[in-house]
């Protein structure tokens, strides 16, 4: 598929969503470095985990590939990733407060 000249709409199915240990965003970035015909990319859901290194790979693909005009669910995935991190940070801050109170 990476060398296809006729593929304009890439849909990434749920089967590729592997959670925090997966790198589907980086995989799409590597694909886009080779394929210059894709214009639309869709993910079946917004449960992507956006990791910094993976997003860097995706971003680097756009330096040479100017054809992509839309990526479905990527913004929503980013919002959900940030929300998960906020919840985890708040939980840890609460734990720190509890431990500080125990020390006193």
């Amino acid at each position: 598929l990476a060398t296809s000249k006729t593929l304009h709409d890439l849909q990434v199915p749920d089967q590729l969503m592997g959670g925090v240990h997966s790198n589907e965003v980086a995989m799409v970035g590597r694909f886009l470095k080779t394929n210059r015909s894709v214009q639309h990319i869709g993910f079946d859901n917004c449960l992507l985990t956006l990791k910094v290194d993976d997003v860097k790979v995706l971003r680097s693909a756009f330096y040479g590939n100017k054809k992509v005009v839309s990526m479905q669910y990527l913004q929503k995935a980013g919002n959900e990733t940030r929300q998960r991190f906020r919840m985890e940070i708040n939980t840890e801050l609460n734990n720190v407060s509890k431990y500080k109170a125990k020390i006193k």
Side-chain angles (χ1 to χ4, degrees), residues 2-3 5 10-11 26 36-37 39-40 42 46 54 62 64 67 71 73 75 83 90 92-93 98-102 104:
T3 58
K5 302 281 187 224
L10 175 67
Q11 296 298 314
R36 304 292 190 200
S37 65
Q39 297 174 356
H40 305 278
C46 60
D54 293 352
F62 291 120
K67 301 270 185 172
M71 292 188 72
Y73 286 127
Q75 182 176 6
Q83 181 64 27
N90 287 336
E92 292 303 319
L93 288 173
K98 288 178 189 176
Y99 292 128
K100 278 185 173 181
K102 287 182 181 180
K104 290 181 181 181

Side-chain angles (χ1 to χ4, degrees), residues 17-73:
M17 305 301 159
V20 296
H21 301 294
S22 183
N23 63 350
E24 57 273 349
V25 173
M27 178 182 61
V28 171
R30 286 188 295 276
F31 172 82
L32 290 175
K33 286 182 177 184
T34 305
N35 185 295
R36 304 292 190 200
S37 65
V38 171
Q39 297 174 356
H40 305 278
I41 300 172
F43 297 93
D44 282 357
N45 66 46
C46 60
L47 299 178
L48 294 168
T49 299
L50 299 179
K51 296 177 279 190
V52 173
D53 291 336
D54 293 352
V55 173
K56 285 180 181 178
V57 172
L58 179 63
R59 183 187 68 190
S60 71
F62 291 120
Y63 291 125
N65 188 331
K66 307 290 187 211
K67 301 270 185 172
V68 177
V69 294
S70 70
M71 292 188 72
Q72 177 185 5
Y73 286 127

